[in-house]
Amino acid sequence: MTTSGVWDASSDRIEMKRKSSFSLLDQAERPMPAATGDEHPGKMEKLWKLMSTYQPNDPESIQKAFARHLEYSLACTRFNFTMHDAYRAAGLVLRDRLLESLNDTTAYYREQDVKRGYYLSAEYLIGRHMQNAIANLDLEKSFKDAFMELGMQLEDLYAEEVDPALGNGGLGRLAACFLDSMATMSLPCWGYGIRYSYGMFKQCIENGRQVERPDFWIGDGCPFEIPRPDITYPVRLYGRVEEGLDESGNWALRWIGGELIQAMAYDNPIPGFDTYNTNNLRLWRALPSKEFDLDAYSSANF
């Protein structure tokens, strides 16, 4: 029995059963986007046709996608790649399927014009992506068989993933649980947070003593996140507020001075359990708004 929500699979004649539910999409056609009056269907018809079916989820198709990403996405060769390269390529194979579900979910929300919710949190302890996504998409058997035939164990790939260091306490885990629950309940809700480059610290044992090291978790990249360089906003820090008149002669407050940084979006698909619904966690990365200031550096203003 599936949870109720805005994603009504029965209206699209899709059987919502837990076992092998996502694999049913192999035979289903992807929904066409609703017309808004601005498109030119003739120009897009060929592209829509090419994207009319879902990525197949049988073991052989997963293996082919893995080999393609290994060589063409990661620039590895079949004779020279590490287990970490294999994990990243497998992550990209899984991300392809997450993107299909995320795009369809977003299109369905837009078509139904649903009221959306947004959860803001300074931290999200979401845990490792791969095992959770494979389980929620019900693709564990297909992925296990595919990589076993390639001489790899899923458990070895899981071990290569680093936990995203996006928080340090119980509230971060609670926020992550909220996201999973909202996706599972097919609620049109997104999470918003900060894409930290470093965690609090990484604990290590050296000579029988605990030591702390910087936790640069994003150093090798994350195959599941989706960079959005087209979604960037300026954020002002410091400065001061001045009173004055706007262009229309009305009294207004202006925030001037200080320092500007750029906030760039990174999307992380959050698949629900026992549903085709996939929501999104959008994290913001801080970037400089201008090039390196050599004068400030020369003045020791770091």
Side-chain angles (χ1 to χ4, degrees):
M1 181 177 179
T2 59
T3 54
S4 60
V6 297
W7 181 272
D8 185 7
S10 60
S11 64
D12 295 325
R13 299 184 300 279
I14 298 177
E15 179 66 27
M16 288 292 289
K17 290 184 178 180
R18 168 65 188 140
K19 293 301 178 185
S20 302
S21 60
F22 195 81
S23 62
L24 291 177
L25 295 180
D26 291 352
Q27 294 83 34
E29 279 198 13
R30 300 185 67 185
M32 292 279 286
T36 62
D38 298 329
E39 298 97 341
H40 300 281
K43 296 181 180 179
M44 293 296 182
E45 186 175 355
K46 178 66 174 180
L47 180 60
W48 287 344
K49 186 175 181 180
L50 291 172
M51 301 174 68
S52 63
T53 56
Y54 293 92
Q55 291 286 314
N57 295 310
D58 59 282
E60 184 178 358
S61 297
I62 291 174
Q63 292 168 353
K64 289 180 179 178
F66 171 76
R68 183 179 69 252
H69 279 299
L70 194 63
E71 181 167 7
Y72 298 112
S73 299
L74 303 181
C76 295
T77 69
R78 55 191 141 170
F79 309 110
N80 184 22
F81 67 90
T82 65
M83 184 57 70
H84 191 74
D85 294 327
Y87 149 71
R88 293 170 61 198
L92 291 172
V93 173
L94 187 58
R95 193 186 79 160
D96 290 344
R97 285 140 181 85
L98 287 169
L99 276 171
E100 289 179 338
S101 183
L102 176 62
N103 288 338
D104 286 350
T105 302
T106 302
Y108 187 83
Y109 289 163
R110 186 180 297 112
E111 179 183 340
Q112 298 298 314
D113 193 23
V114 297
K115 183 178 291 186
R116 307 194 189 197
Y118 300 93
Y119 187 83
L120 277 65
S121 177
E123 53 182 351
Y124 289 93
L125 288 176
I126 57 178
R128 300 180 181 182
H129 291 83
M130 180 176 282
Q131 188 171 6
N132 180 69
I134 287 178
N136 281 7
L137 296 179
D138 196 24
L139 294 176
E140 189 168 5
K141 187 179 187 308
S142 297
F143 269 74
K144 184 176 181 179
D145 293 345
F147 285 99
M148 187 174 292
E149 292 179 5
L150 297 177
M152 304 178 199
Q153 301 290 330
L154 272 184
E155 291 74 14
D156 295 333
L157 297 177
Y158 294 157
E160 292 293 326
E161 185 173 1
V162 179
D163 282 70
L166 302 174
N168 66 344
L171 291 179
R173 185 60 204 143
L174 180 63
C177 290
F178 282 158
L179 293 184
D180 281 334
S181 298
M182 290 186 292
T184 297
M185 295 178 67
S186 299
L187 299 177
C189 300
W190 279 24
Y192 279 91
I194 301 174
R195 184 180 179 270
Y196 301 104
S197 297
Y198 290 89
M200 290 294 290
F201 55 81
K202 183 185 297 184
Q203 294 179 333
C204 304
I205 303 297
E206 295 181 4
N207 299 323
R209 302 183 62 180
Q210 176 180 307
V211 295
E212 288 75 36
R213 298 279 184 255
D215 184 11
F216 186 45
W217 72 275
I218 201 64
D220 293 324
C222 177
F224 298 97
E225 67 178 6
I226 306 158
R228 301 287 195 186
D230 56 314
I231 304 177
T232 305
Y233 294 96
V235 178
R236 188 179 297 275
L237 303 175
Y238 314 114
R240 66 186 188 278
V241 176
E242 285 189 352
E243 299 183 17
L245 301 178
D246 60 16
E247 296 178 353
S248 302
N250 298 318
W251 178 81
L253 297 174
R254 291 195 306 155
W255 188 2
I256 62 174
E259 180 180 349
L260 276 177
I261 63 172
Q262 297 290 334
M264 175 179 161
Y266 283 75
D267 288 345
N268 297 261
I270 307 294
F273 179 84
D274 193 21
T275 175
Y276 295 127
N277 189 77
T278 295
N279 287 341
N280 187 36
L281 169 60
R282 175 160 290 177
L283 301 174
W284 298 96
R285 177 189 177 190
L287 295 170
S289 61
K290 59 182 180 180
E291 298 178 359
F292 184 74
D293 192 335
L294 186 58
D295 292 334
Y297 179 82
S298 300
S299 304
N301 185 10
F302 306 128

